[in-house]
Each structure stands twice: as structure tokens, then as C-alpha cells.
Amino acid sequence: MTAVSVERGVEALRQQVDASVASYMSSCIHCGLCAQACLFYTETGDPKYTPQRKLEPLYRVWKNDFTLLGRLASMAGLGCKITDEFLDEWEELIYDSCTLCGRCTMACPVGIDITAVVRKTREGMVASGHVPEGLIGAATRAVEGGGPMGDLLPALKAVIRRSEAATGIPVEVDKEGAEYMVILSAQETVGFPEIVEAYSKIFKQAGVTWTISTKAFEGTNVGIQIGSRDIARTLVQRVVDAAEELKVKAVIAPECGHAYTALRWEGPNLIGRTYEFDVVHITELVDQLIKEGRIKFKGKHKSKITYHDPCQTNRRGGMLNPPRAILAEISENLVEMEDAGLWNWCCGGGGGVGANERADELKTKVFMRKKRQLDGVKPDELVTSCANCRNIIEEALDHYEIDLPVLGLTEMVAEYMETDEIEEPAADKAVKGEDQ
Amino acid sequence: MANKPILKEVLRDRGVSRRGFMRYCATLTSLMALPAAMAPKVAQALEGAPRPSVIWLSFQECTGCTESITRSSAPSLEDLIFNAISLDYHHTLQAASGHAAEAAREAAMKAQDGKYLLIVDGSIPLGNPGYSTIAGISNEDMLRDAAKGAAAIIAVGSCAAYGGLPMADPNPTGAVSVSQIITDKPVVNIPGCPPIAAVMTGVLAHFLTFQGLPDLDELGRPVVFYGDTIHDRCYRRPFYNQGLFAKGFDDEGARKGWCLYELGCKGPVTRNACATIKWNGGVSFPIQSGHGCIGCSQPDFWDAGSLYTAVASPTADITPVAGMAAAAGVGAGVAVAALNAQSKKKTASESTPVTVQELGDKQ
Amino acid sequence: MTEPGMDLLMWARGTGFQIAIGVFLFGLVLRLIEIFALRRKADVAPPKGDAVSGGLRTIFTRFVPAPGFAALLPAQIIGGVIFHFGLLFIVFFFVPHIAVIKDTFGVSWPGISSAVINALTVLTVAILVVLLVVRLKHPVRRYLSDFQDYFIWALTVVPLVSGYMAFNAVGPYTIVLAIHVLSAELLIALIPFTRLTHAFTWVSSRYYNGAFAGRKGTMS
């Protein structure tokens, strides 16, 4: 097996060129409007972060190898050069200063999906070995240890025990034939374990059967973040194998942006087939349960909240309405930040930036955009539905010494949901639950 | 020279009043774009001017230029001017013929050596001297001979000025213009097919008044008459500006007198005074009568595309070129697409999955 | 002896026009095949929305600038929009241009007042100048710009200025018209081989962008 090299990188990039890429590369007239859409430019003022620049590696490969003029130029030795130094220079642009948030894609007047091109370009960066150390570490841990933070099975077991103790609702692990299989984000397992309690309560109330596989409970897919189809495929395959073994109807993607993208949108293409199960995002499912009348609420959140749209589930994922439909049920004082919704700004740590320690300073700097958005509405609490956003935002709020609690949407649902337990003693309830 | 009466006497003999003469001078002054205050000077010069000897040579021509200058309603100002010169040789107009005529020309050339005006109409065939001869003398020889002693040479009409129709592709006689043969003397070109009579007489009047040639442009044309394009001075220009164009010779636009650009009017690229001086004593000019300018006073006008094609429209049929180009594009496109598909396939088959170990090793 | 510029004009109307159309068609067909023959892999993830309607939607919605951008970059956004529509009207609705199209392809449509086109040309050129200044001054645009960006700017401005001069009889008409026709031919011929290709690929790029989003049930 050959080591990673520029040649392998170029080969990987070559495989990423398709009609859409060729159309995009033929369209850019260097207008630079994308810069205004990118928080890495708006918050630093450094033109090198202009999203357009991030097209360059794939542009060179396309031009050299997929156009007549480029082929002729290459034959004459006048082709665009792709060297280690060039890729080194671009590594920062492709990883440290892009969260794949998709705003540039929305802003480009000629319609270039810059985000998709950056995602594709990461394939070449991986194959040529131009990847930040932090992501390599996370990827290695994910492939070899089960998750980006290593093997979290013991931690998961502890989380499940705590949830069962707190709610009195048992969590059935590895249960074949359950309707849903839950996967979690490593951030949730480690940082926001209350989510399992929320799942228990909501599904119990709604009469939904669910399980967690001990073989594949990790939703985080570092392969998508680092931009390697090969690594991503390995990680997706684990979930697919487990879900198909347990014959579940659907896998619930967690409150984690790219986990949804990885399983819902990229996964089938990575393994080359559709799954034998559906993929549904937890927010989407909760919204559906509310609409079906299977969960009801006993009151509303009173304090002033605002909702941060996670880029991958919202703009890039298609979950435009469910979060606000849910919030309308459980909150009476929702204020919207400027640009909320389809055009919301990224927390600054998506797309693998959060796992890339080298980008910490930049990540913190560009959070200023979110800070200004928050300053504009001055909420009492911030709600979001992505564990990574939540983590990044909490860290940044700490850094800027802002006292603003960050809540998870699903946990809020569990909190305001009307439960049958109010009438019944907890112990009876637990027994009854087991009988079902 | 002593036997030639001056213009003042000729006019008096012909019963032209002083008032009429002054009006003529004023008109000439204005035609030549001189300040109005110059009119008395023009009159003074013309009155005192001796009648210069003029030798008019006609080569490959149609006599249209002579027609133009003589066919004006009598008694015209042009007519007056022609009475102000001594036309010693003009084989269409003179009474003499044969040896007598040639003798008259030779006599004038000798007597007025260095003083006579040489007017030429028609182009000169260089392909074969036999194509056009007068009294056995080739046009070229006669021109060179007559030009030697001329005080000034005026090439009248597009043929003499630029070769004209005889020179039109494929130019069977090898026709050339006067200025292509006579290169050691200034030649005044008065192009047009035919030129406007008043322009011809205006140049003569200038010569008589100032004893010299008017300002000429780079094509040897008097700037006063050829400084503007027909389009610049056209009364239909406002329609062009408004985008109102006749699409046919009998449509609504044509009846309303809209711009004839789309019907091939060459006004925009034609320099002449038709739109201001007009024809037939100022009655009309082609555009006024409903037909676009054909650009007859321009060099090579006959080869400048169809008379009925707009001046910026393509002159060539692009269908075969377009067909070939598109076919070549398909060919090249398919070839590149095949190469692209091949290289993608090759790359895909050769590539091996990237492992985290490899990434770790790189670090 | 010919009128200055006449030879050039005649060449431009004949051989030059043939070369320009030939190069343009060759290049356009080549480029379009080159792009679309690369195809796309079929997406096997079950769709959540409709790709086609999403793609068509984005083709049109992208005419509207991103929210807030017009206030942030008025010269670029508003100027850019006016410039493109100005160019469209000047090229396709100036009556003498329609005459060229009619004489070439046999199709024609009604034009608009030349006086309006004339004013539009002044506006369009003025905007091009503003856009050039923006390109030279704005940190991002200056950073992104290379030789070709300035070259295609010039390629676009010369036909506009020479066209204006020809219409308003500024300068020697024949020469000006020849320059106008030649520069327009150069512009046409180079469309497939420069960033001007976006005159065609904006449709497909927007479509792809919108289709990817539409398939995922989102909007772009």
C-alpha cells in the first residue's frame, strides 16, 4: 500500500470531478460575494478566507485533467501546479476556516455549491496527507476505538444506568425488532447525557419502542468531517450493520448536525445502496409525534429564548420547519436572531473545526458573529438541536464570559411534555413499562 | 491669356445682374464653409479671375459625371462657372473631333503649360493599354503626359478618384485611380457616382478664388464637402435615434419616412454632401426619395456587401462555417469526454482506500 | 485607397464574423459536452424533496441577492444586477443588433427605442467603471482578481464604448464601427474559453445547487 502523497491526493480529487463541479468551475467570475456570507471572512476581514479561494485545489485538477485547453496546457508543461507546498497552504483554508456551513452556497450569484466543493476537496487533502492533526486523532480513535473520543461503551452503560435510575424507565439495549434504533453523538454521551433520559420519557409517553445497539451507538462520523469516503464508509457501515441486524424500522439520528448528514444523505452513497431502514432525525420525529397527538405539553417555557439553527440539519439537511414547530408548542417567548432560519450563522465549530485544536483561536474569534446576533436579541437562554453546536457555543460563551444557558431542544420537549406518571406512582409505572 | 476675357465680362455679356452674381458668390461661400464675410472677397476674386484653360480627360467612364455637371436646370450657377473656364478639351462636349480635337488639346497644353487645370473622369486600365485608348494613345500615357504641365489635377467621380465600378471585383481591366498613377502632384478627388454638380463647381470656384486647392482629407477629398457622413446630416436621423426603422420599401415605416438603416442604407459610412446640398437644384436626394444611400462616393463601394444589407450586418453566409464549427465542437467534445471518462475510470480502479494508519504515519 | 477602417469593417463583417461565430460555436459545443459528459453519480439516498423543482427554483430565486447583501455591498450588488440587465437589453434589443441577428439567423423581434438603449449604454458603462473601481479597491475582489478578470472587463467594455461612439457619431464612424464589430466578435469568440462561460453555465450551476438542496428538502 502506498503512503499518502500528492499524487494520491490528485487522484482522489479527480474522482470528485463531475458535471456539477465542471459547471461550477466554469461559472465563477471572482465576484467575491461569498466572502460576505462566510463568518471566517466577516469576522477576520482577511480576504484569504473568501470561500472562492477554497475552490482552487479542485479547480486546478478539473482544469488540468478535464478540459481540452487544460489538457493541452498540461502536455505543454503549462498546467496548474499542484504541489505539497500548495496543498499545505490550502490545508488551513479547507479545514481550519470552513465549517461546511453552506452560507456561501446560498449566496453565490451563479449558484456554485462551494460547500460541496470543499467537502469534495477534503477527499484529496486526506489522500495527500494534508489534514489537521486533531482530525487525524479523532478519526483514528473512531476507527480503532469506536468513536472520536475512543471507546465510549462503558460511559454509555453508565449513562443508561443513570437514566433508568432517574426516570424509572428501562432502556432496552440490543433489542431486535424495536421500531427505532437510537445513535448518539459522542458529545452527548460525554457532555449531555441527559438526552437519554429525554428519549426515555418521550418515547415512553408516545408509545414508541426503541433500542440502542452496543455495537453501533456512535452517530458522530469523523470520516465526513475529515472528508474521507473510506473512513466515513467504515463508520456508516457499523450503524447500518447494527440496524439491519436488529431489524429496526428506522434509525434516529441524534442532535448532531453532521451525524445526520453522514447517515441520512452521504451514507447510502458511501455503501452504494439504500438501507433496509429509514433514517429520521430526532427533531423530525418529535415534530411528527406532536402532530400525531402522541405527545402533549403541560405548559410553556416562560423565559426569553432564541433558537440557533444547526447548519447541517437546517440549511444543509432540510429540517427547516420542525424545530420551530416544536418551539411554538413549548415556548411562549421565542425571539429570533437576525438571519435566523435558513440564513443563520454557524457556531464556528462545525465541519470538523471543533475537533481541530489548531483552529481554536480562529474558531473563538469567528464566534463574534454569533455573539453579535445574541447581543441583538439578548435572550435568557439559547436553544439548539446539535450537541456540537451546543458544546462550541458553551465554550465560546465561557471564553467571552457571557452567562447564557444553552439548552437542548429534545430535553426541553421532555421537560414540558405531559406525562402519565403524574397520576401514577413511579414504581408502578416502571413495572408497567416492562410489561409492555 | 490675353485673348481670354475675364469672368466679369462674360457675366455681363450673358446678362447676369450684379445682384445675381453676388447671391451666387454668397452661396458658394457658404458651400465652401467660409465665413459669410468672405463673400465679397470671393466675388472680387471671381470677377477678376481670368478664365483658366481646362483639359478634361475621359477614360473608363460612363459620362455620368459629365451628365451631372451639365444636366442642371438652366441657367444654373454651375452653368455660369462652366462659362468662367475655357474648356479646351472635352471629347464629349467639344465640337471638334478626331485630329482636330487632339490638336486642340496639344495646343492648350503647350500654350497654358503649367497653368491649365486637368480634370479626369474614369479609371485607367493598366491590365492592357488597349482596353481604352483615345486617338491611339493609351489612357495611362495620355494622363501622364497631360499631368506634367497641369497646375492642378481634379479626379471627378468615383472611377477617377478610387477606380470605381471598373475596379470592382474582379477588376478585369486592371483599373486604377488617377492618384495611383500621378503620385508627384496633389490630386483633388471629387468622388461620387456621379458627384454633386455644386461640389464640382465649388472646387473650381475655390481654385479660381484662392488660386489653390481646398483642404483635403486623407482620401484627397475637399473636407468642406466630404467632412460629414450622410448619416450625420440626414433628416431621417431622428428616427434612427428613436429606433424607428422601415423594414421594407412599402411598409408603414417606409411611408412614415423612417430610417432606412435596416434596408441597407450606407449613410453611416458614406462621406458626401448629398444630405445638405442635395440633387437637381436642391430638390431631393436618394434617402429623401425613399431609397437608402448606396455609398457611391466611397472607395470600393461596389464590393462593400449587398446594397440592401445593413451596414454592420454580416456579409458572409455563416451557415457552413457554423455547421463545421459545431461539428468540430461535437468531435472535440466527445473526444475530451472519452478521455475524461477513461481517466476517471483508471483513477477509480487504481485508487486504494485511505486508512487512518496511513494518516497517522504521515504525521 | 480606401476609407480608413473600411477594410477592417469589411473583414469584420465577413471573415471576422465567420471566425468569431465558428470559434464561439466550436468552443461552446466543446465546453458543454466537456462539462455535462462528466455526468453525476446517481444519488441513492432516498429523497426528501424534489430535485428538479428545487433546481428550477434556484435558477430564478438566485436573481434576488442574498438578504442584507445589497445594503452591505450596494455598488456590487445593485450595479451587478443593472449591468447584466443593461447588457441583455443593449445586445438583444437595439434595433441594429436585431438586424444583425435577423440577417444571420433569420429570426427577429421588436426592438426598443434607441434613445433608451443609448442611455442604458451610458449607465452600463458607468457601472462597469464602478465595478472596476470596486475590483481594484475592495480587499476581497482585489485579492481574488487575476489578469483574466481585468481582461474580460476590457473585453466587455470596448464593444459598449465603441457602440456608444458609433451611435452618437463620436470619432470616425467607419473606424469606430469596425472596432465595435471586431471587439464584439472577440468577446463572442472568447465566451467559451474564459470566465464569460458563466453566461451559459449559470443556469446549470444554479440548477445543480438548487437540485441538491431540493432533494434534501431544503432550499438554496
Side-chain angles (χ1 to χ4, degrees):
Chain A
M1 189 165 287
T2 50
V4 288
S5 63
V6 173
E7 292 70 34
R8 259 180 106 183
V10 170
E11 275 182 19
L13 289 174
R14 228 178 256 155
Q15 290 181 65
Q16 293 299 319
V17 173
D18 64 5
S20 68
V21 169
S23 176
Y24 298 153
M25 297 305 176
S26 304
S27 303
C28 181
I29 49 114
H30 295 184
C31 76
L33 289 186
C34 48
Q36 291 305 332
C38 178
L39 76 176
F40 287 93
Y41 169 72
T42 63
E43 302 316 301
T44 62
D46 189 340
K48 77 172 177 179
Y49 292 128
T50 303
Q52 194 278 340
R53 293 311 293 146
K54 299 165 190 172
L55 302 177
E56 188 67 18
L58 197 55
Y59 174 84
R60 291 192 182 183
V61 169
W62 163 77
K63 179 124 185 150
N64 282 347
D65 298 348
F66 295 96
T67 66
L68 177 64
L69 291 185
R71 279 172 176 274
L72 294 175
S74 296
M75 280 196 279
L78 298 168
C80 310
K81 299 280 178 288
I82 301 168
T83 60
D84 255 317
E85 294 71 41
F86 165 71
L87 293 174
D88 258 342
E89 195 186 337
W90 254 260
E91 185 183 314
E92 190 210 356
L93 299 184
I94 298 298
Y95 287 104
D96 300 22
S97 64
C98 180
T99 60
L100 304 176
C101 84
R103 281 187 112 250
C104 50
T105 291
M106 300 280 294
C108 175
V110 289
I112 302 173
D113 192 346
I114 305 172
T115 316
V117 172
V118 173
R119 166 67 188 86
K120 283 166 173 282
T121 302
R122 288 187 179 181
E123 295 285 343
M125 300 306 270
V126 168
S128 68
H130 292 275
V131 186
E133 210 171 323
L135 279 168
I136 295 178
T140 310
R141 287 190 295 277
V143 171
E144 292 171 354
M149 300 183 183
D151 185 5
L152 292 180
L153 188 58
L156 175 74
K157 285 181 172 162
V159 167
I160 290 174
R161 275 197 303 277
R162 270 211 303 281
S163 168
E164 286 176 331
T167 61
I169 307 168
V171 174
E172 292 180 282
V173 174
D174 294 325
K175 189 189 176 193
E176 204 178 304
E179 283 176 87
Y180 293 98
M181 180 175 111
V182 165
I183 55 174
L184 298 170
S185 151
Q187 306 263 24
E188 291 178 319
T189 315
V190 173
F192 312 110
E194 306 80 15
I195 191 75
V196 177
E197 294 169 34
Y199 279 171
S200 292
K201 289 183 195 165
I202 293 169
F203 294 152
K204 168 82 169 64
Q205 182 62 31
V208 168
T209 60
W210 64 291
T211 186
I212 295 182
S213 165
T214 51
K215 287 181 189 163
F217 56 87
E218 185 55 65
T220 311
N221 191 322
V222 190
I224 297 296
Q225 295 175 324
I226 201 169
S228 164
R229 292 171 57 82
D230 300 324
I231 296 170
R233 186 186 303 115
T234 307
L235 302 178
V236 163
Q237 192 69 54
R238 284 181 192 164
V239 176
V240 174
D241 289 346
E244 291 183 349
E245 196 182 307
L246 295 176
K247 299 186 173 59
V248 294
K249 191 180 84 183
V251 171
I252 298 173
E255 286 193 342
C256 170
H258 83 272
Y260 178 70
T261 292
L263 193 61
R264 177 68 178 85
W265 300 119
E266 291 212 25
N269 294 305
L270 291 171
I271 66 166
R273 64 171 174 91
T274 47
Y275 310 141
E276 288 166 20
F277 53 89
D278 292 333
V279 177
V280 60
H281 191 269
I282 181 63
T283 309
E284 211 175 4
L285 180 60
V286 166
D287 180 45
Q288 186 197 331
L289 294 174
I290 294 171
K291 290 206 166 77
E292 289 170 5
R294 292 166 73 179
I295 48 181
K296 291 192 167 52
F297 298 98
K298 60 190 177 196
K300 287 189 172 185
H301 196 74
K302 302 251 184 304
S303 51
K304 183 157 95 174
I305 57 162
T306 191
Y307 179 71
H308 164 79
D309 301 85
C311 308
Q312 296 304 317
T313 53
N314 168 49
R315 188 162 42 238
R316 300 294 290 175
M319 216 101 54
L320 302 180
N321 301 319
R324 284 184 177 73
I326 296 169
L327 283 170
E329 298 283 337
I330 60 173
S331 158
E332 59 185 31
N333 195 4
L334 172 71
V335 289
E336 294 285 12
M337 291 178 267
E338 192 186 0
D339 295 323
L342 201 56
W343 282 93
N344 214 333
W345 292 86
C346 178
C347 63
V353 172
N356 174 7
E357 296 89 357
R358 191 177 67 193
D360 273 354
E361 201 187 323
L362 189 58
K363 177 188 76 181
T364 309
K365 188 169 188 188
V366 302
F367 183 79
M368 284 305 290
R369 172 56 75 164
K370 189 55 66 185
K371 185 173 174 293
R372 278 205 304 282
Q373 279 186 291
L374 292 170
D375 288 346
V377 289
K378 296 190 172 54
D380 300 325
E381 284 136 349
L382 174 73
V383 182
T384 189
S385 52
C386 167
N388 187 56
C389 294
R390 198 169 160 187
N391 188 37
I392 297 290
I393 292 172
E394 281 183 351
E395 278 179 14
L397 290 172
D398 263 1
H399 175 88
Y400 289 106
E401 296 176 347
I402 301 165
D403 185 22
L404 177 68
V406 182
L407 311 175
L409 181 62
T410 309
E411 285 160 54
M412 269 184 87
V413 168
E415 192 185 333
Y416 287 95
M417 185 180 64
E418 203 173 82
T419 55
D420 300 335
E421 285 146 299
I422 296 164
E423 293 90 25
E424 295 175 42
D428 288 358
K429 175 76 182 153
V431 172
K432 202 176 163 192
E434 265 173 3
D435 288 346
Q436 286 173 341
Chain B
M1 194 148 179
N3 62 340
K4 290 182 186 292
I6 58 169
L7 179 61
K8 191 178 182 179
E9 293 155 6
V10 174
L11 291 171
R12 191 186 55 224
D13 292 347
R14 292 176 61 91
V16 174
S17 70
R18 175 78 191 155
R19 173 187 284 262
F21 177 68
M22 287 309 291
R23 198 186 299 130
Y24 169 59
C25 292
T27 310
L28 261 184
T29 309
S30 126
L31 270 182
M32 293 187 289
L34 297 170
M38 286 291 282
K41 184 159 190 249
V42 172
Q44 201 184 354
L46 286 183
E47 277 180 331
R51 295 173 67 212
S53 174
V54 170
I55 293 174
W56 183 307
L57 302 179
S58 298
F59 298 141
Q60 294 192 124
E61 48 85 47
C62 67
T63 316
C65 299
T66 301
E67 287 283 333
S68 172
I69 207 163
T70 54
R71 273 271 167 121
S72 33
S73 45
S76 74
L77 302 173
E78 291 77 24
D79 183 42
L80 284 177
I81 266 300
F82 263 80
N83 285 299
I85 59 173
S86 167
L87 191 54
D88 291 330
Y89 179 81
H90 187 303
H91 64 209
T92 306
L93 299 179
Q94 70 194 142
S97 64
H99 292 300
E102 295 314 308
R105 176 176 59 81
E106 276 160 21
M109 280 166 60
K110 205 169 182 182
Q112 302 290 322
D113 188 38
K115 294 172 195 155
Y116 62 87
L117 262 177
L118 177 63
I119 299 181
V120 183
D121 70 338
S123 62
I124 302 97
L126 296 185
N128 183 331
Y131 284 141
S132 174
T133 61
I134 298 163
I137 306 166
S138 76
N139 289 171
E140 184 188 0
D141 290 346
M142 188 178 280
L143 174 62
R144 287 190 190 281
D145 191 32
K148 272 181 218 148
I153 302 169
I154 302 174
V156 160
S158 294
C159 298
Y162 307 129
L165 294 192
M167 205 171 91
D169 189 52
N171 190 5
T173 64
V176 296
S177 66
V178 172
S179 58
Q180 279 171 284
I181 292 176
I182 307 301
T183 51
D184 57 348
K185 274 188 187 178
V187 175
V188 180
N189 286 331
I190 306 179
C193 191
I196 304 169
V199 172
M200 293 189 262
T201 57
V203 172
L204 287 176
H206 189 284
F207 181 76
L208 294 173
T209 307
F210 300 106
Q211 302 299 316
L213 299 177
D215 285 345
L216 305 179
D217 67 12
E218 63 271 36
L219 293 189
R221 299 171 295 200
V223 176
V224 285
F225 300 112
Y226 294 91
D228 293 327
T229 64
I230 303 293
H231 188 61
D232 290 335
R233 300 286 172 175
C234 182
Y235 76 104
R236 296 198 190 204
R237 178 63 182 270
F239 295 114
Y240 173 87
N241 290 355
Q242 290 163 46
L244 298 173
F245 297 91
K247 312 273 177 190
F249 287 107
D250 56 355
D251 71 354
E252 183 70 12
R255 276 190 289 280
K256 285 184 172 162
W258 289 353
C259 177
L260 302 167
Y261 177 92
E262 285 192 51
L263 295 170
C265 180
K266 302 294 182 288
V269 291
T270 304
R271 295 183 177 277
N272 209 335
C274 304
T276 43
I277 296 175
K278 299 191 180 176
W279 289 78
N280 300 329
V283 172
S284 182
F285 74 114
I287 292 172
Q288 194 171 346
S289 70
H291 191 288
C293 166
I294 63 168
C296 73
S297 59
Q298 290 302 115
D300 301 327
F301 81 93
W302 199 258
D303 291 328
S306 159
L307 299 184
Y308 300 101
T309 299
V311 74
S313 286
T315 53
D317 180 13
I318 61 139
T319 320
V321 174
M324 280 189 295
V330 169
V334 168
V336 174
L339 287 172
N340 287 351
Q342 197 189 16
S343 82
K344 260 184 103 168
K345 207 170 158 188
K346 188 162 166 276
T347 312
S349 67
E350 281 173 1
S351 76
T352 46
V354 179
T355 63
V356 288
Q357 287 80 7
E358 286 173 332
L359 287 176
D361 290 348
K362 172 88 182 182
Q363 289 299 303
Chain C
M1 188 182 280
T2 57
E3 180 78 30
M6 199 62 197
D7 282 346
L8 212 55
L9 179 61
M10 289 310 297
W11 188 84
R13 292 172 62 192
T15 313
F17 189 70
Q18 287 179 319
I19 293 174
I21 294 292
V23 172
F24 168 75
L25 278 178
F26 168 80
L28 184 65
V29 171
L30 161 72
R31 292 299 321 280
L32 293 180
I33 293 177
E34 205 173 77
I35 292 169
F36 298 110
L38 282 169
R39 304 212 300 245
R40 285 190 298 130
K41 273 195 186 139
D43 189 346
V44 294
K48 211 168 139 183
D50 185 32
V52 175
S53 60
L56 295 176
R57 184 185 169 278
T58 300
I59 290 177
F60 295 101
T61 54
R62 216 38 86 86
F63 285 120
V64 181
F69 276 41
L72 216 52
L73 302 162
Q76 237 177 306
I77 301 275
I78 299 167
V81 170
I82 298 175
F83 160 72
H84 279 94
F85 282 97
L87 200 61
L88 186 81
F89 277 101
I90 294 163
V91 171
F92 292 108
F93 292 96
F94 181 48
V95 177
H97 292 169
I98 299 172
V100 171
I101 293 164
K102 190 182 171 194
D103 287 335
T104 312
F105 303 104
V107 289
S108 68
W109 48 84
I112 56 178
S113 161
S114 303
V116 173
I117 295 289
N118 202 32
L120 210 52
T121 308
V122 175
L123 182 68
T124 306
V125 171
I127 287 169
L128 270 176
V129 171
V130 171
L131 291 177
L132 179 66
V133 172
V134 170
R135 204 175 262 293
L136 289 167
K137 295 263 178 206
H138 191 279
V140 170
R141 283 190 77 127
R142 195 178 54 227
Y143 184 80
L144 298 184
S145 300
D146 58 15
F147 171 76
Q148 197 190 116
D149 291 308
Y150 297 105
F151 176 69
I152 61 173
W153 181 89
L155 215 51
T156 313
V157 87
V158 173
L160 285 168
V161 171
S162 56
Y164 178 83
M165 287 172 68
F167 180 82
N168 295 287
V170 181
Y173 185 88
T174 312
I175 295 175
V176 171
L177 183 64
I179 290 172
H180 176 64
V181 175
L182 281 170
S183 60
E185 285 168 355
L186 189 64
L187 175 72
I188 291 168
L190 289 180
I191 285 175
F193 303 105
T194 57
R195 287 179 195 127
L196 296 170
T197 312
H198 80 277
F200 291 90
T201 53
W202 67 271
V203 183
S204 52
S205 294
R206 285 185 186 181
Y207 177 82
Y208 284 133
N209 187 322
F212 292 141
R215 199 166 195 286
K216 294 194 282 191
T218 178
M219 286 183 277
S220 185

